[in-house]
Amino acid sequence: MPAERESTRERLPAGATAAGRPRTGRLDQPRPPRRRLLPEWDPDAFGRLSERIARFLGTGRFIVWMTVVIIVWITWNVTAPRHLRFDEYPFIFLTLALSLQASYAAPLILLAQNRQDDRDRVNLEQDRKQNERSIADTEYLTREIAALRMGLGEVATRDWIRSELQDLVKELELRSADGHRPGVFPAEHPGGRDVNDH
């Protein structure tokens, strides 16, 4: 009897809220997709299709094909035998077809323009951010070049050292021409002892 009680305890869910909940799948795995009664449609795919149609409507090929169709339509309905004509002289069916085509073409063109505007807006935002980064990089490089120029202003260049050495050589040549023995230091006495030793 105690073994039966232990087995029933193991099978029952623990806790007050666990008893009323149905058992679900694991939390570390995604749920399987639910079945939907209505078919799903991708708005981006519809937008791409509308762009392709609008792009085609804006070509010369479409105008040529539409002109050919209208000429054939009118020619057939004027010259064909009466029992083969499907649209008599006022061409009401042709007018209906052209107005239907125009009523669909206008929203498709507007949809394509809206999508292009969205793309242009995103591109402009990316260009603006790129320009901001370029300006920041340019300002940083300008500050670095200015700092390098200031640092180079304090560094002795090769030309400056050469000119200083040439001045010292000229000064030594002038001293030796005056009869003074050239010394390494200007305070050194010609007799070999320092002036400060006297």
Side-chain angles (χ1 to χ4, degrees):
M1 198 76 171
E4 290 177 11
R5 285 183 183 172
E6 287 178 9
S7 64
T8 55
R9 283 183 193 164
E10 291 175 3
R11 280 185 264 153
L12 293 176
T17 57
R21 270 187 294 169
R23 189 152 183 128
T24 59
R26 295 179 50 174
L27 294 177
D28 61 341
Q29 294 177 351
R31 288 185 179 178
R34 288 192 229 167
R35 289 190 174 185
R36 298 185 183 223
L37 299 176
L38 298 175
E40 294 183 22
W41 63 283
D42 184 12
D44 199 40
F46 182 71
R48 285 193 301 270
L49 177 66
S50 69
E51 283 179 341
R52 288 174 61 191
I53 293 172
R55 201 172 290 122
F56 176 69
L57 291 176
T59 60
R61 189 170 19 160
F62 170 73
I63 294 172
V64 168
W65 278 109
M66 190 172 73
T67 305
V68 166
V69 166
I70 290 173
I71 289 172
V72 168
W73 186 299
I74 292 173
T75 306
W76 178 266
N77 286 308
V78 169
T79 60
R82 206 170 265 290
H83 67 280
L84 293 176
R85 295 179 192 171
F86 56 90
D87 193 15
E88 290 293 330
Y89 163 63
F91 307 118
I92 296 172
F93 188 48
L94 176 64
T95 306
L96 177 66
L98 290 177
S99 64
L100 185 66
Q101 179 258 330
S103 67
Y104 272 100
L108 287 174
I109 291 170
L110 287 175
L111 181 60
Q113 286 178 348
N114 289 339
R115 284 174 56 85
Q116 185 62 42
D117 289 342
D118 292 341
R119 274 197 302 273
D120 290 343
R121 192 177 305 114
V122 169
N123 289 337
L124 285 174
E125 184 67 23
Q126 289 176 350
D127 289 345
R128 187 183 65 79
K129 288 180 181 177
Q130 182 66 34
N131 288 339
E132 287 177 358
R133 284 194 295 268
S134 298
I135 289 171
D137 290 344
T138 305
E139 288 176 355
Y140 172 75
L141 290 175
T142 304
R143 286 193 301 269
E144 288 296 315
I145 291 172
L148 285 174
R149 283 185 179 170
M150 290 172 59
L152 282 176
E154 299 170 2
V155 173
T157 61
R158 185 172 47 192
D159 293 335
W160 183 79
I161 292 173
R162 184 178 293 136
S163 67
E164 288 294 317
L165 287 175
Q166 287 174 353
D167 290 344
L168 285 175
V169 168
K170 286 179 185 176
E171 186 179 337
L172 289 174
E173 288 174 356
L174 286 173
R175 283 187 180 181
S176 65
D178 289 344
H180 294 93
R181 181 173 151 258
V184 179
F185 297 105
E188 191 175 327
H189 192 267
R193 292 185 300 176
D194 199 346
V195 176
N196 293 331
D197 291 345
H198 292 294

